[in-house]
Amino acid sequence: MATPYLEDDNGKYIASTQRPDGTWRKPRKVRDGYTPQEEVPVYENKFVKFFKVKSDLPPGMSAPESQEQKPPGDSDTAGLSKAAKRNMKRKEKRKQQQEDGDVDSVSDAVENVSISEDANEKTSKSNPPNPPDDSSASAAAERAKKLKNLKKKLRQAEDLQQKVDSGEMDEVTKDQKEKLSRVETLRDEILQLERES
């Protein structure tokens, strides 16, 4: 909506307008070249302007040709910053490492396979061992987490015992007594978890 300007002998001014409560605003004098706030265009940086104008097609290519496959990498990284390009390279590297890890696990399984002359033995030995699935990996991670937690509790209990023995602490609270009494059970649990893993 354009602001209505009135011209007078004194120059241009914005006409008085009525507020929602019924009162009137004073007319405002306007200098030459003034642009009201609501008419000022919204700022767009170069990056935004570029992508508004840029078509998805490379220069010189028409719409029917665009249905053909584009070479990957060239058009994907054209408008990206250095950091974004670096991040894309890192993602590609991770994908390659995961694929290499899959190849390694399959090659390990193939090495474990032995060939025998008996047909029954062939079928039993040629089945590769199941690759470790997510549940076993998450179980191992959980055991490691629990082991770390138990070691921390044991360390705290031993520190507390040392303070009590040296006389730094005069009184031991109920919670501290419980912590001191659990030292042996903590050691047993740690040994058990270490044997499992």
Side-chain angles (χ1 to χ4, degrees), residues 147 186-196:
L147 184 65
L186 288 172
R187 286 186 179 139
D188 292 340
E189 287 181 32
I190 289 172
L191 287 173
Q192 184 181 359
L193 278 174
E194 286 177 344
R195 279 188 230 129
E196 289 177 6

Side-chain angles (χ1 to χ4, degrees), residues 39-56:
E39 294 178 15
V40 175
V42 177
Y43 174 75
E44 293 178 341
N45 60 26
K46 291 178 185 177
F47 190 76
V48 172
K49 285 181 185 176
F50 174 75
F51 279 102
K52 277 189 176 179
V53 178
K54 181 187 171 215
S55 68
D56 293 338

Side-chain angles (χ1 to χ4, degrees), residues 51-178:
F51 279 102
K52 277 189 176 179
V53 178
K54 181 187 171 215
S55 68
D56 293 338
L57 305 174
M61 183 180 263
S62 62
E65 296 174 12
S66 67
Q67 295 172 354
E68 297 174 11
Q69 289 289 336
K70 293 185 226 175
D74 294 341
S75 61
D76 294 345
T77 59
L80 298 176
S81 65
K82 289 181 182 178
K85 288 177 185 177
R86 247 185 277 134
N87 289 339
M88 285 185 65
K89 285 181 183 177
R90 287 181 189 154
K91 285 181 184 177
E92 289 173 9
K93 235 183 214 180
R94 277 191 220 119
K95 285 181 184 176
Q96 287 177 350
Q97 287 175 351
Q98 287 177 349
E99 290 171 3
D100 292 344
D102 294 342
V103 169
D104 291 341
S105 64
V106 170
S107 64
D108 290 342
V110 169
E111 288 175 6
N112 292 337
V113 173
S114 61
I115 300 173
S116 65
E117 295 177 17
D118 188 17
N120 292 337
E121 290 178 14
K122 280 184 185 178
T123 56
S124 64
K125 289 186 180 179
S126 64
N127 289 337
N130 292 335
D133 56 355
D134 292 337
S135 62
S136 65
S138 64
E142 222 167 285
R143 275 196 301 269
K145 187 176 179 181
K146 188 172 183 180
L147 184 65
K148 182 180 176 184
N149 191 8
L150 289 172
K151 285 183 179 180
K152 179 181 176 185
K153 287 180 181 179
L154 180 64
R155 186 175 60 247
Q156 289 173 345
E158 289 173 345
D159 290 345
L160 182 62
Q161 183 66 45
Q162 189 177 12
K163 286 181 183 177
V164 169
D165 291 344
S166 67
E168 287 181 42
M169 295 182 69
D170 297 333
E171 296 179 13
V172 181
T173 65
K174 181 181 176 184
D175 293 336
Q176 291 171 335
K177 286 180 185 177
E178 287 178 18

Side-chain angles (χ1 to χ4, degrees), residues 1-5 14 28 30 33-41:
M1 175 175 104
T3 306
Y5 291 112
I14 298 174
R28 291 182 287 159
V30 177
Y34 171 76
T35 307
Q37 187 65 37
E38 56 271 1
E39 294 178 15
V40 175

